[in-house]
Amino acid sequence: MTMTEIGAAYDSRAAEYIDLFGTIDQLAERDRETITTWRDTTSGRLLDAGCGPGLWSQELTTGGVRDVVGLDASAEFVAAARARHPDVSFQRADLAALPLEDRALGGILAWCSIIHTPPADLPAILGEFARVLTPGGSALVGFFDGEPGEAFDHAVHTAYYWSAEALGDLLTPHGFVVEQASARQDPGARRRQGDLVARLVA
């Protein structure tokens, strides 16, 4: 599964996705609280990795003047994000080959953007996160909580469960330390959702 294939899968359903999840108000309040709390404790340029139509990118710019860049594999999502949020820079890109300089960022938001990545391919993405973060920078990662690496059917394409412990084991070789993690099952939700904050210390 390449990022090109994932992008094409989302391109085919972009309009449907935007209709369902195109604004902040359509998403869980707990997600917004988690992301804004992280934003307000993170300095420097921020990356929305797997930005979709840009709703979280826009949220990252609030609460002060912030330099935010959004990257996604879907051309349709990038076009929609540019039209909706002209004050943010958006680009089509592969998360395993970020078009950013070393040490360019203070923080990375990867909110459910690694769920389609096969387990064997995930270390390359986490390595890129480490490359572009400044020492002391942090990453907020959202995922579906379950048996690590187990595949499940997703409306767009095959996805994979993770746990905070398993992701921590993958992050550690790249110089990250997991500072906090949580998981929850929202009423009516089919799956548990997890998130973690990891800081680059090396």
Side-chain angles (χ1 to χ4, degrees), residues 1-76:
M1 167 58 60
T2 66
M3 292 299 288
T4 299
E5 291 170 325
I6 294 171
Y10 273 96
D11 282 343
S12 68
R13 303 190 66 170
E16 177 186 359
Y17 183 97
I18 292 170
D19 184 55
L20 291 173
F21 309 110
T23 68
I24 290 293
D25 294 340
Q26 292 167 291
L27 302 178
E29 180 63 26
R30 171 72 179 275
D31 291 352
R32 185 172 183 175
E33 291 174 357
T34 298
I35 290 171
T36 56
T37 297
W38 172 81
R39 175 202 67 195
D40 293 343
T41 56
T42 305
S43 60
R45 191 183 193 196
L46 302 181
L47 167 65
D48 186 1
C51 64
L55 63 167
W56 291 127
S57 305
Q58 183 63 31
E59 191 76 359
L60 293 178
T61 67
T62 61
V65 178
R66 303 299 297 268
D67 183 5
V68 176
V69 58
L71 302 177
D72 201 276
S74 165
E76 293 294 329

Side-chain angles (χ1 to χ4, degrees), residues 117-182:
T117 303
D121 297 337
L122 190 53
I125 292 176
L126 301 181
E128 277 293 272
F129 287 179
R131 179 183 67 79
V132 300
L133 275 174
T134 59
S138 71
L140 171 56
V141 181
F143 54 93
F144 287 110
D145 186 64
E147 183 63 29
E150 180 180 308
F152 65 88
D153 290 333
H154 183 277
V156 178
H157 209 288
T158 301
Y160 301 88
Y161 289 113
W162 284 102
S163 68
E165 182 178 5
L167 286 173
D169 288 343
L170 293 178
L171 285 160
T172 297
H174 298 290
F176 286 97
V177 172
V178 175
E179 294 188 326
Q180 62 186 64
S182 66

Side-chain angles (χ1 to χ4, degrees), residues 69-146:
V69 58
L71 302 177
D72 201 276
S74 165
E76 293 294 329
F77 277 163
V78 169
R82 287 172 174 167
R84 288 163 166 249
H85 311 296
D87 53 332
V88 178
S89 174
F90 294 101
Q91 185 176 341
R92 189 180 184 193
D94 185 337
L95 298 186
L98 297 174
L100 298 166
E101 295 180 359
D102 295 357
R103 311 304 195 196
L105 304 172
I108 298 172
L109 174 65
W111 199 252
C112 294
S113 56
I114 61 170
I115 64 170
H116 299 293
T117 303
D121 297 337
L122 190 53
I125 292 176
L126 301 181
E128 277 293 272
F129 287 179
R131 179 183 67 79
V132 300
L133 275 174
T134 59
S138 71
L140 171 56
V141 181
F143 54 93
F144 287 110
D145 186 64

